[in-house]
Amino acid sequence: MGSGPARQGMPGADALSPYLDITVAQAEQQWRDILARPALPEQHGQIDHSPVETLLAGAVRVVANVKAGGGDNRRFPFPVPELARLFRRKPNGVASKVENLSGVPGRNRGAATNIELGRRLAAEPDLVASMYRVVLAAARNVGIGADSLPDFLGIEHGGWMVLLGQDEIQETDLQAAVEQAIGERRRLDLVADTATERALAQMIRVGQSAFASQVLRNYGDACAFCGFTLGDGRRPTLLRAGHIKPWRDSDDRERLDVANGIAACPTHDAAFDTGLMTLDTTASHLTVRVSSRLRHAAESNPATARYFTGEGLRTQVALDPPTVPPADRYLTWHREQIFA
């Protein structure tokens, strides 16, 4: 896409070169310029985002679903506040840049270059990883440590770029969601060609990865039902971040809502998804309830009992701040539609 002729209304390779061809030396100078800014200058909204800021905003899309607006006191997900402090910007300014890279209908407030760059980054995870490592290497070279710029993708020192939560999306459900989005684009007189379909499918997958990342972080990267964790914050992880109300049954907003997610090890994730256990809500915690079928199996099978009784399964899931608790509407849906 970047080396061929530009599509109508979209920038060519030259416009994307400052981002996709950035060198460590160039990134180092951009970091020096950022560090020279006063903290939250009055003209912060008038300072263009540098390529290093834009590339990191593109990487944020893999780990957080971000929407701008709502005022300066609004809480934004990690790593938006951390990047805002480093960039000497308000969090809403960073969120706006992330959103402008999304290419979602109704959110294309950014320049055409941002939209096309966002599509490239969404379509090519390896490109995100490469640019991300260049930007972080340059930051470290000028003295920006992990306390100021955390490795929020977990790939600074190697490893594959992993989109989390993809096993939750069936191909037929994905295609239905893409067709719905294409219909919306046509209604708004936006481009709706084959390339756009592919880009939309990948953007949905990136959104799912961001949902999963936020859910895992919300539960401290540990299984809500038993506490299992690898504890190193790296990807991939054995944990799963699933929807309480399944992805296929949720609308676009529900699919990205952290309150519709729960982190679990594969065993407890499968039991929850298939309705062998559910959660009841109380004022300060969630109570784990297992089905009669699972309870009888645990009584007669020691292997089953190991995972679903005693230390193998918590009876309660604490809701300590800053955890976003599961919303009652999703838990009610699960109890009524899935729990057996």
Side-chain angles (χ1 to χ4, degrees):
M1 185 183 299
S3 60
R7 288 184 290 161
Q8 184 176 3
M10 300 308 294
D14 290 346
L16 298 183
S17 180
Y19 306 93
L20 305 184
D21 299 325
I22 191 171
T23 65
V24 172
Q26 290 169 338
E28 288 175 356
Q29 184 55 55
Q30 291 172 30
W31 279 123
R32 294 188 188 98
D33 293 340
I34 290 170
L35 294 176
R37 295 173 185 168
L40 289 179
E42 290 298 322
Q43 71 274 25
H44 75 278
Q46 301 174 5
I47 299 177
D48 290 338
H49 285 77
S50 63
V52 297
E53 293 174 274
T54 302
L55 289 168
L56 285 179
V60 167
R61 295 166 60 203
V62 180
V63 297
N65 287 301
V66 179
K67 186 174 183 180
D72 293 336
N73 294 325
R74 184 181 154 209
R75 293 181 62 182
F76 290 93
F78 172 88
V80 171
E82 290 77 7
L83 293 180
R85 286 192 293 270
L86 180 59
F87 297 163
R88 275 63 166 176
R89 296 182 185 274
K90 292 184 178 180
N92 201 47
V94 177
S96 293
K97 174 56 67 172
V98 176
E99 194 172 19
N100 287 342
L101 289 164
S102 70
V104 175
R107 299 184 189 176
N108 292 346
R109 296 189 296 271
T113 299
N114 284 336
I115 296 170
E116 187 64 8
L117 177 63
R119 288 176 175 173
R120 284 290 303 273
L121 295 177
E124 302 179 43
D126 288 345
L127 181 62
V128 176
S130 176
M131 298 297 94
Y132 178 82
R133 290 188 182 114
V134 168
V135 170
L136 261 66
R140 305 303 186 231
N141 289 346
V142 300
I144 300 174
D147 54 338
S148 298
L149 178 57
D151 176 18
F152 58 86
L153 291 187
I155 60 170
E156 180 178 1
H157 302 296
W160 297 102
M161 180 72 193
V162 177
L163 295 182
L164 299 181
Q166 302 307 301
D167 55 324
E168 220 188 343
I169 305 179
Q170 300 298 318
E171 202 60 37
T172 54
D173 298 329
L174 176 63
Q175 187 57 40
V178 170
E179 290 174 358
Q180 182 180 6
I182 286 292
E184 177 66 9
R185 291 185 69 87
R186 290 188 176 125
R187 188 183 69 81
L188 297 172
D189 293 326
L190 297 172
V191 175
D193 56 13
T194 301
T196 303
E197 289 187 25
R198 290 196 298 268
L200 285 169
Q202 188 62 16
M203 288 174 185
I204 290 172
R205 291 192 177 281
V206 170
Q208 170 67 3
S209 177
F211 164 83
S213 297
Q214 287 181 260
V215 169
L216 292 179
R217 186 171 181 83
N218 189 45
Y219 285 88
D221 290 302
C223 175
F225 298 103
C226 69
F228 169 84
T229 180
L230 291 177
D232 57 11
R234 295 173 57 188
R235 298 185 178 198
T237 173
L238 289 176
L239 290 174
R240 295 178 179 174
H243 286 78
I244 298 169
K245 180 180 179 181
W247 193 92
R248 72 174 68 87
D249 298 307
S250 298
D251 60 29
D252 289 343
R253 183 188 61 80
E254 292 171 334
R255 288 169 180 169
L256 303 180
D257 188 359
V258 175
N260 188 22
I262 193 161
C265 66
T267 298
H268 292 132
D269 175 75
F272 187 82
D273 280 352
T274 55
L276 291 173
M277 62 184 189
T278 192
L279 292 167
D280 293 325
T281 308
T282 66
S284 60
H285 61 266
L286 301 173
T287 299
V288 179
R289 178 155 50 114
V290 300
S291 68
S292 57
R293 179 186 173 199
L294 185 55
R295 186 170 59 253
H296 292 155
E299 291 172 353
S300 59
N301 189 313
T304 306
R306 185 179 306 121
Y307 295 103
F308 293 100
T309 62
E311 295 181 358
L313 179 67
R314 295 169 173 170
T315 59
Q316 296 180 352
V317 176
L319 299 177
D320 299 325
T323 300
V324 177
D328 286 342
R329 63 185 180 277
Y330 300 130
L331 292 174
T332 299
W333 198 98
H334 186 272
R335 288 193 294 268
E336 294 178 350
Q337 301 297 327
I338 298 179
F339 183 60

